[in-house]
């Protein structure tokens, strides 16, 4: 089972997506920064920093070019939200160069960041959403 939904794009270079899947994804990379939260169950993930386990409530951070995969668990679909941020959009959010931005770990437990990601997704899902609200939260996430 695999369900993915892309929410409306409020800011150029920023995509907000939600997934529910038991599918495994082979090793791959992205050109963007990605940050998200696992909301149900979890998966194992190999990344350039080794094998990590991602559980419900964990924050996922992926830098551009980092090789990673996602190993689904049979009959146990996990759910997560992801925000991808282009390198140009990241430069604007941090008022610097994208090379100056980096998620320090592929998985971390940080309640404040988790809440900011979840509220950012919630903002993007609202029919009357405003780009300024999302940008404000993303600046806090990337600080």
């Amino acid at each position: 089972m695999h369900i993915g939904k892309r929410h409306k794009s409020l800011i150029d270079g920023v995509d907000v997506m939600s997934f529910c899947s038991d599918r495994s994804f082979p090793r791959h990379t992205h050109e963007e920064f990605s940050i998200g939260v696992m909301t149900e169950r979890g998966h194992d993930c190999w990344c350039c920093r080794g094998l990590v386990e991602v559980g419900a409530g964990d924050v996922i951070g992926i830098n551009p070019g980092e090789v990673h995969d996602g190993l689904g668990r049979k009959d146990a679909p996990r759910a997560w939200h992801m925000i991808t941020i282009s390198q140009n959009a990241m430069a604007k959010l941090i008022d610097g160069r994208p090379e100056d931005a980096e998620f320090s770990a592929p998985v971390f437990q940080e309640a404040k960041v988790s809440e900011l990601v979840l509220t950012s997704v919630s903002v993007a899902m609202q029919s009357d959403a405003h780009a300024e609200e999302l940008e404000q939260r993303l600046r806090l996430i990337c600080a």
Side-chain angles (χ1 to χ4, degrees):
M1 184 233 332
H2 179 77
I3 300 167
K5 175 159 178 52
R6 175 172 274 139
H7 305 290
K8 78 179 140 222
S9 184
L10 300 172
I11 300 172
D12 286 341
V14 176
D15 285 310
V16 180
M17 297 162 282
S18 299
F19 300 94
C20 183
S21 181
D22 61 0
R23 186 180 292 174
S24 289
F25 299 95
R27 291 182 183 175
H28 62 281
T29 63
H30 302 278
E31 294 179 17
E32 305 85 13
F33 292 89
S34 299
I35 188 158
V37 174
M38 185 70 65
T39 56
E40 293 180 38
R41 296 187 184 83
H43 68 210
D44 297 320
C45 175
W46 182 91
C47 67
C48 58
R49 301 176 195 186
L51 187 62
V52 295
E53 186 174 328
V54 184
D58 288 349
V59 176
I60 304 162
I62 304 167
N63 296 302
E66 284 186 343
V67 178
H68 63 283
D69 64 14
L71 304 174
R73 297 176 181 156
K74 189 167 175 61
D75 300 322
R78 76 271 198 205
W80 70 104
H81 301 290
M82 291 299 292
I83 301 170
T84 62
I85 306 168
S86 73
Q87 294 184 45
N88 287 338
M90 179 63 83
K92 291 176 186 173
L93 289 169
I94 65 169
D95 295 321
R97 301 175 318 151
E99 299 83 30
D100 297 334
E102 180 181 45
F103 296 120
S104 59
V107 178
F108 49 99
Q109 293 80 30
E110 181 71 43
K112 181 179 178 182
V113 175
S114 178
E115 183 62 29
L116 284 167
V117 170
L118 294 174
T119 59
S120 296
V121 171
S122 178
V123 165
M125 293 171 69
Q126 295 172 8
S127 60
D128 61 345
H130 298 284
E132 297 80 23
E133 286 183 73
L134 180 58
E135 182 178 345
Q136 206 171 41
R137 286 170 173 79
L138 292 175
R139 285 183 180 276
L140 290 171
I141 290 169
C142 298

